[in-house]
Amino acid sequence: MEVSGLTWTLTTLFVVGMLLFDFLFHARRPHTPGIRESALWSALYTSIALAFGLFVLGSWGGHYAAQYYAGYITELSLSVDNLFVFLIIMASFKVPRQSQQEVLLFGIVVSLIFRSALIFVGAAAINAFSWVFYIFGVILLVTAGSTLKEAIGTDDEEESENFFIRLVRGVFHTSDTYDGNKLFTELDGKRALTPMLLVMVAIGGTDVLFALDSIPAIFGLTQEVFLVFTAVVFSLMGLKQLFFLIDGLLDRLIYLSYGLAAILGFIAVKLILHALHQNSLPFINDGDHVTVIEITTQMSLVFILGVLVVTVAVSLFSPRGRAMAIIRATEDLAEKYLALPPEAAVAERTKLNNQLAAKLSKMPQIPDHLKSELIENEQHYRDLLKRAHGQHQDFLAQTAREG
């Protein structure tokens, strides 16, 4: 696959232009994107990614277009999984909703930098040493096992993030409160780090680990550097808008980790088979190539799409997924009600209260064992609902007295 320097230059300029536009017109204007805004921008970024695949099809043929689409879908699914970790980090730092756009954009830029560096390092290693495929395969097998373990285990990621917060705050002079989107502020006459800077450092650190997982995965689908780079870039570009679009669905994708473990395991097997096919290691088959079945790009694309469709469908329509949706909705609505300013309109308060009541009416449908499993802190959950209900009752009483 021959890619001209002009094509590389134009592609890079286009990516940089998109990032600058996003930063200047969205992230620098703190606000919480609505569903309509997020949906429009997500559709735009997805359309650009799909259209680029058509450009690959027209320029280099269907074989490379299939590689690009397989890589893009895989990287996008891994990126969605990363959003869960971003959620945990931002919740730990209590990032204001209107500032989350800037935090996510920072995470995306850091991801692009780390992954771009690893792409070229990985490509150079592959060109020089074909046995690198063995290493990539083992990395993905370990990652698949770790992903599966986290899905069925009890690893407390939030606790690890809290440990990180305690460590940083023990070393540096930090502020407990945000100062808009500023990274530094004045506290007791001293220059202090704001939580905004701390959360960006935390997300940047996790991006390094994400890159170590994602780059071997896509090299298992294509070894064309241009396709690897563009698939990674386009999977990350729309991640911020996708976050706000599916924020309410993230907790419902309860089996996504199982699907990702299957995809990573599949690609690992594909890599190892490819390494055996090109084997040059003297202690394997005396350094000769091993005759094995090669998994085609078309087979990879069908498998990846099939696993994702089944995973999402089972997550959304399973009893556990529906229960999670109800519980998450009651928490969100209660928090939104408690966050209302004193001057909030009667119609807005009434609407939120009615929505909360409607969701609470569905709670008896949830089996007790699912409630105890899905509600992490039952006392906190009950107190949250009680405070929201009590605040609405106080509001009604005050309105009656004034009337």
Side-chain angles (χ1 to χ4, degrees):
M1 180 177 175
E2 296 293 333
V3 182
S4 67
L6 178 61
T7 302
W8 268 107
T9 301
L10 292 177
T11 302
T12 304
L13 289 175
F14 180 71
V15 170
V16 172
M18 290 175 68
L19 286 172
L20 288 175
F21 177 84
D22 205 346
F23 181 76
L24 293 174
F25 292 95
H26 290 96
R28 294 301 296 171
R29 183 171 59 90
H31 71 291
T32 302
I35 293 294
R36 184 174 181 275
E37 178 184 345
S38 299
L40 288 174
W41 282 105
S42 294
L44 175 63
Y45 281 113
T46 302
S47 298
I48 291 173
L50 296 177
F52 187 82
L54 297 178
F55 167 71
V56 174
L57 175 64
S59 301
W60 295 284
H63 177 68
Y64 292 113
Q67 290 184 7
Y68 164 78
Y69 282 124
Y72 170 71
I73 294 170
T74 299
E75 290 298 309
L76 185 62
S77 60
L78 289 171
S79 297
V80 171
D81 188 50
N82 295 347
L83 288 180
F84 286 99
V85 181
F86 287 167
L87 274 173
I88 292 171
I89 293 174
M90 288 194 287
S92 297
F93 285 94
K94 297 180 175 59
V95 179
R97 184 74 170 172
Q98 65 272 16
S99 298
Q100 290 179 1
Q101 282 208 82
E102 186 167 352
V103 173
L104 286 170
L105 183 59
F106 173 82
I108 290 169
V109 171
V110 173
S111 292
L112 284 173
I113 294 172
F114 280 124
R115 296 184 193 201
S116 297
L118 283 177
I119 286 170
F120 293 102
V121 171
I126 287 172
N127 289 331
F129 313 104
S130 61
W131 49 262
V132 168
F133 287 112
Y134 286 116
I135 298 177
F136 282 0
V138 171
I139 289 174
L140 288 187
L141 280 177
V142 172
T143 303
S146 176
T147 302
L148 186 60
K149 182 179 178 181
E150 290 176 4
I152 63 179
T154 57
D155 292 344
D156 194 342
E157 296 182 21
E158 186 171 359
E159 182 62 29
S160 66
E161 294 304 329
N162 287 333
F163 171 76
F164 173 82
I165 297 172
R166 292 196 300 269
L167 178 64
V168 172
R169 287 179 174 168
V171 176
F172 298 98
H173 185 53
T174 63
S175 168
D176 292 329
T177 58
Y178 286 85
D179 187 4
N181 285 344
K182 294 181 180 178
L183 303 181
F184 298 92
T185 189
E186 292 291 328
L187 181 65
D188 299 329
K190 297 180 180 179
R191 191 173 178 82
L193 282 66
T194 68
M196 179 64 75
L197 177 59
L198 299 182
V199 71
M200 287 184 173
V201 172
I203 285 182
T206 58
D207 280 333
V208 178
L209 300 178
F210 294 157
L212 293 176
D213 293 343
S214 69
I215 299 308
I218 192 169
F219 269 119
L221 298 168
T222 177
Q223 285 84 60
E224 299 294 340
V225 178
F226 184 69
L227 297 183
V228 171
F229 175 74
T230 51
V232 168
V233 166
F234 288 124
S235 69
L236 289 172
M237 290 303 299
L239 192 60
K240 179 167 65 69
Q241 286 74 19
L242 186 64
F243 171 84
F244 291 100
L245 180 62
I246 67 172
D247 186 17
L249 287 176
L250 281 176
D251 280 345
R252 291 193 65 183
L253 301 179
I254 53 178
Y255 297 115
L256 179 62
S257 293
Y258 293 93
L260 291 177
I263 291 171
L264 291 173
F266 173 83
I267 298 175
V269 171
K270 184 178 186 296
L271 277 169
I272 293 173
L273 289 175
H274 184 70
L276 289 170
H277 185 72
Q278 295 187 341
N279 179 63
S280 60
L281 295 179
F283 53 84
I284 297 179
N285 198 34
D286 295 327
D288 294 331
H289 301 336
V290 181
T291 303
V292 291
I293 298 173
E294 286 258 43
I295 300 173
T296 66
T297 303
Q298 290 75 15
M299 292 169 60
S300 300
L301 187 55
V302 170
F303 180 85
I304 292 167
L305 285 173
V307 168
L308 288 177
V309 168
V310 171
T311 299
V312 172
V314 173
S315 295
L316 294 180
F317 298 107
S318 68
R320 194 168 185 269
R322 290 196 295 268
M324 176 63 81
I326 295 172
I327 292 170
R328 173 65 188 272
T330 56
E331 290 177 331
D332 284 349
L333 289 168
E335 289 173 352
K336 286 180 181 178
Y337 192 94
L338 292 172
L340 287 174
E343 65 275 10
V346 175
E348 186 176 6
R349 289 184 178 275
T350 303
K351 179 182 178 180
L352 279 176
N353 183 71
N354 291 341
Q355 289 176 338
L356 178 58
K359 292 296 181 182
L360 287 173
S361 68
K362 298 179 180 179
M363 287 294 288
Q365 302 172 11
I366 304 176
D368 291 337
H369 74 277
L370 283 180
K371 289 180 183 177
S372 60
E373 179 184 348
L374 298 175
I375 299 176
E376 295 181 2
N377 187 327
E378 187 171 352
Q379 186 59 48
H380 172 77
Y381 179 75
R382 291 181 181 277
D383 289 345
L384 181 67
L385 297 178
K386 184 177 180 180
R387 285 191 293 123
H389 177 73
Q391 193 173 109
H392 187 68
Q393 293 302 311
D394 291 343
F395 169 75
L396 292 178
Q398 181 180 350
T399 301
R401 287 195 300 269
E402 293 175 353

